[in-house]
Amino acid sequence: MTLEDLQVILKVAEFRGITAAAVSLNMRTATASAAVKRVESALGVELFVRTTRQLRLSSAGEKYLPQCEQALQMLELARNNIQEDQDSVEGELRIAVSSDFGRNQMLPWLDELVETHPSLSLRVNISDSNVDFYRDSVDMALRYGSPNDASLYGFKICDVPGILCATPEYIEQHGTPRHPHDLASHNGLFYQLQEIPYDIWTFTRNDQQFKIRMRGNRASNDGDLVRRWCVAGQGVAVKSCLDMSDDLLAGRVVSVMPEFRPRVSELWLICPSRQSITPAMRLLRDHLKTKCAKILKDLSEKEILPKDSSN
């Protein structure tokens, strides 16, 4: 049982449900559920009475939760008092980042952190491959998609809409597709993983889904190369709006068929365990949330994304 487990318990009590608590804490429902089980197991009592619609506090929970909340408030006060006496965050950030988002967005943000906190140092692994925390000697990884390994822990940074994009010159030469079926005559630019290209693109409009198998003459396991091909006018690509944000805001590429939405992914900062979370990692998490929220807001204000995408 950890402090994080107790924080989950309080959120579950507040929202009367594990799923809602997990959303509030930016974690997976399975992670929140495991935290509840650990606390109840350590105490030897059930804190919640499960019903088909929601959870409610048991008699033991009604006694335990108020004292638990007071204890956590005292610990938070003590932590804040200590932090006020510290001028800097120390330690080494050993992080794995993807090739595209890492090079074009993340690295300048990491430089800002080190400039603001000179006692921090960096070790950056840039790769689109799956991360092995021990083999690759990293403490955290910034990746699209929530962690699918129950042993991992992570912080959700934001939702990331995908965008079908191309250069204005490409669209002028090859025509503007109005419907996913029109993409059959266009050249797709593909990201591939383990030699398998992602050439089946899915779009949604008004709860209706369209799956299109694309054709194209370029594929790479490096997301940054796919972006560069797109900016060079070699075809159309489905990319993360964060990866393409600078090019979209500068007009080097445009959003194509914006009424048909590609998949929405999630950006997560993942680490091997709760015990590996450090003040430097929390600082990085907050920095990422602020930076990504600013990008999504800028894209929404330019009407490149729907207004609700920056929420």
Side-chain angles (χ1 to χ4, degrees):
M1 181 172 64
T2 65
L3 291 179
E4 287 82 3
D5 290 343
L6 297 179
Q7 291 167 348
V8 171
I9 289 291
L10 292 178
K11 282 296 181 182
V12 172
E14 176 184 349
F15 288 99
R16 294 294 191 268
I18 292 176
T19 300
V23 171
S24 173
L25 293 168
N26 286 331
M27 66 172 56
R28 294 178 301 155
T29 301
T31 303
S33 179
V36 172
K37 291 179 181 178
R38 278 193 296 271
V39 175
E40 291 183 329
S41 176
L43 296 175
V45 297
E46 290 190 348
L47 299 176
F48 300 97
V49 177
R50 278 77 169 169
T51 67
T52 55
R53 293 187 177 181
Q54 64 178 12
L55 302 181
R56 63 179 176 84
L57 286 174
S58 66
S59 58
E62 290 176 351
K63 295 177 182 178
Y64 181 74
L65 267 293
Q67 297 179 29
C68 174
E69 184 172 15
Q70 291 177 5
L72 288 179
Q73 288 174 350
M74 292 180 65
L75 288 172
E76 180 67 14
L77 178 61
R79 185 180 69 86
N80 290 337
N81 289 338
I82 290 176
Q83 287 187 339
E84 288 176 359
D85 294 334
Q86 294 178 335
D87 295 327
S88 64
V89 176
E90 300 180 350
E92 184 179 54
L93 287 174
R94 303 192 307 172
I95 183 169
V97 295
S98 61
S99 64
D100 196 345
F101 186 75
R103 287 190 181 97
N104 300 304
Q105 298 291 358
M106 188 68 181
L107 294 188
W109 299 348
L110 289 173
D111 288 339
E112 286 182 21
L113 275 184
V114 173
E115 290 172 5
T116 306
H117 302 275
S119 296
L120 279 178
S121 60
L122 291 176
R123 184 182 299 178
V124 181
N125 180 319
I126 293 187
S127 173
D128 287 330
S129 301
N130 292 330
V131 174
D132 183 316
F133 286 100
Y134 304 102
R135 179 197 64 201
D136 299 326
S137 297
V138 296
D139 299 319
M140 67 198 91
L142 190 68
R143 285 291 184 261
Y144 289 114
S146 61
N148 53 16
D149 187 336
S151 66
L152 299 179
Y153 192 77
F155 302 103
K156 180 181 173 182
I157 304 302
C158 63
D159 291 322
V160 186
I163 284 189
L164 177 67
C165 46
T167 62
E169 295 78 12
Y170 175 89
I171 293 299
E172 182 177 355
Q173 181 178 354
H174 297 276
T176 302
R178 304 296 180 186
H179 189 278
H181 296 311
D182 298 338
L183 292 173
S185 61
H186 287 267
N187 188 54
L189 306 172
F190 307 125
Y191 172 73
Q192 69 178 33
L193 184 63
Q194 296 178 346
E195 305 304 321
I196 301 175
Y198 284 76
D199 57 0
I200 298 178
W201 293 351
T202 302
F203 300 89
T204 302
R205 184 182 68 172
N206 299 329
D207 297 325
Q208 189 174 6
Q209 194 175 84
F210 305 87
K211 283 191 175 183
I212 307 297
R213 181 177 288 278
M214 291 291 297
R215 296 180 179 178
N217 61 6
R218 287 172 171 82
S220 175
N221 64 348
D222 187 313
D224 188 33
L225 181 53
V226 178
R227 183 192 66 83
R228 290 169 184 264
W229 281 334
C230 186
V231 174
Q234 301 295 344
V236 293
V238 172
K239 291 282 292 176
S240 149
C241 68
L242 293 179
D243 291 354
M244 301 300 296
S245 59
D246 288 346
D247 301 308
L248 287 163
L249 292 169
R252 289 186 290 269
V253 299
V254 295
S255 174
V256 181
M257 295 191 318
E259 65 275 18
F260 292 90
R261 298 191 184 187
R263 82 287 184 266
V264 176
S265 57
E266 299 175 347
L267 186 65
W268 280 72
L269 184 63
I270 304 169
C271 54
S273 67
R274 286 185 179 86
Q275 289 70 33
S276 62
I277 299 171
T278 63
M281 186 184 297
R282 295 185 187 277
L283 178 69
L284 174 61
R285 174 201 61 190
D286 296 341
H287 193 56
L288 286 171
K289 286 187 175 183
T290 300
K291 292 292 188 179
C292 290
K294 174 66 165 56
I295 289 178
L296 294 174
K297 181 180 179 182
D298 289 345
L299 292 173
S300 294
E301 289 180 348
K302 291 285 187 179
E303 298 184 349
I304 297 170
L305 291 179
K307 288 294 184 182
D308 59 355
S309 298
S310 61
N311 294 337

